[in-house]
Amino acid sequence: MTTQPKDDFQLVMEENLSHSKRRELLIEIRKELSKRLEQNLSVASYIANTSNPVIAHLTMMNLSHIMHFEDIIKTAKNSDKSKLALILETYGGESDFPEEALKRIHTYYDEFYVVTVNICKSAGTLLSLLSNKLISVKSTSFGPVDPQLFITDPQGNNTSIAARSVKETMENTIQDFVDNKIKNIPPEFKPGLIAAILASQNYLLYQNSLDALAQTEKVIDKYLKPRAKINTDKLKQELLSTPLSHAQGVSIDDLSKLGIDTISLDPNDDLAKLIIEYHRRAMRALIMEVQGTNAVGTLLFENEYRSLQLNATLQRV
């Protein structure tokens, strides 16, 4: 008597008990969300490792991840379920990711909801705003929606920088420095110093920042203006044009006041407890359950049927 070979999913369940438990939690989250919203939902997750600032640039949203994103939302769909709940953890990323993600989601689903528990910044906040409903544990930290750009700094390190910070530096900080900080320098040295300051700036980065900010504003106008409840002018002012800092915290209540359709969950709520426990286990997988010297988990794409973890190897100096 011959036995049938085990499929990939059976092997993963046997070899990775951690994923097995996360799968159970995703099923429970789907059932509880479907019950509360009185809708039949599919559930997927996009979890970035937000615990280590050294790898932040490796976890940012960008189109190199869109294939994995589409795969995990497509395979989350079961039978005729037309609505998706996406559990999201991210520091954000590039300006073109939220709209591209939205297009991929609407290829398979009529509506989608974002579920957040801890950190959801920048492009992550924008994707949350584009959802039909934002379901968030009350303690989640959102942020301004200005996108981030990937750069290599003068020391050769790959990193990310907020587009609005580049714009503010070029348009205000440098001018203020020239006007006020070098006024005591002898007049004969000023023209040369000013020329050196201006010549040292990265004008391509400045243009890329302007383009990214314009793209973000275009997405807000295209998808949020038609929603009568949302004050898009106030939203753009508070989340794109004038926030004090890219790191400024924004709460679920702040987003609700701007007209975003939200459900705020107390951390002691039964659904919140399920989401928090799933998030804890997902982050543990990225931080602790990675094999290899100097290896670290960066991103986790997951649904009830499939799990993909991206890892990176850190170079020790």
Side-chain angles (χ1 to χ4, degrees), residues 42-285:
S42 300
V43 174
S45 67
Y46 178 120
I47 307 294
N49 185 346
T50 55
S51 70
N52 188 345
V54 173
I55 63 168
H57 66 284
L58 298 174
T59 69
M60 294 297 180
M61 290 175 155
N62 65 77
L63 293 186
S64 69
H65 304 144
I66 200 68
M67 176 180 67
H68 307 312
F69 179 83
E70 180 174 7
D71 177 69
I72 215 67
I73 62 171
K74 176 176 67 176
T75 57
K77 192 177 178 78
N78 185 10
S79 67
D80 61 346
K81 294 174 183 175
S82 61
K83 296 177 176 62
L84 172 73
L86 177 69
I87 303 173
L88 185 60
E89 169 90 359
T90 179
Y91 276 125
E94 295 181 346
S95 61
D96 49 2
F97 188 92
E99 184 176 26
E100 187 61 35
L102 184 66
K103 290 177 181 177
R104 306 283 176 120
I105 291 169
H106 284 160
T107 300
Y108 308 100
Y109 302 93
D110 296 331
E111 294 184 5
F112 91 104
Y113 311 128
V114 166
V115 180
T116 63
V117 59
N118 180 45
I119 297 291
C120 189
K121 300 283 190 177
S122 181
T125 297
L126 181 56
L127 183 58
S128 300
L129 301 181
L130 299 179
S131 69
N132 297 94
K133 190 184 296 289
L134 174 55
I135 302 157
S136 176
V137 176
K138 196 174 181 66
S139 55
T140 299
S141 179
F142 299 92
V145 297
D146 61 310
Q148 289 158 299
L149 304 173
F150 297 92
I151 64 169
T152 301
D153 67 20
Q155 289 73 43
N157 301 311
N158 294 320
T159 186
S160 60
I161 188 169
R164 186 168 165 270
S165 295
V166 176
K167 181 177 183 293
E168 288 294 314
T169 298
M170 295 295 289
E171 296 179 358
N172 297 310
T173 306
I174 293 175
Q175 188 61 51
D176 178 68
F177 181 82
V178 169
D179 290 343
N180 300 306
K181 304 300 182 183
I182 62 173
K183 57 185 177 182
N184 295 324
I185 291 178
E188 62 270 23
F189 295 119
K190 282 187 180 180
L193 180 57
I194 293 172
I197 292 171
L198 296 179
S200 66
Q201 304 310 309
N202 187 334
Y203 293 96
L204 178 59
L205 179 62
Y206 175 49
Q207 185 59 55
N208 288 341
S209 299
L210 296 179
D211 293 343
L213 290 166
Q215 168 69 13
T216 301
E217 184 170 8
K218 180 181 176 182
V219 168
I220 291 172
D221 288 340
K222 180 178 179 180
Y223 294 100
L224 298 184
K225 257 190 175 178
R227 303 185 192 180
K229 288 175 55 180
I230 300 176
N231 186 337
T232 51
D233 290 336
K234 186 176 181 181
L235 185 149
K236 286 189 291 186
Q237 181 180 10
E238 294 191 8
L239 299 183
L240 184 62
S241 303
T242 60
L244 295 176
S245 164
H246 183 75
Q248 177 180 325
V250 177
S251 70
I252 184 68
D253 293 336
D254 293 330
L255 298 181
S256 180
K257 290 174 184 177
L258 293 171
I260 302 301
D261 190 1
T262 65
I263 295 177
S264 180
L265 300 175
D266 185 277
N268 293 316
D269 178 278
D270 288 341
L271 174 58
K273 288 180 179 179
L274 288 172
I275 298 167
I276 291 169
E277 179 62 14
Y278 171 77
H279 173 267
R280 184 183 73 82
R281 288 177 176 271
M283 292 299 291
R284 187 178 71 183

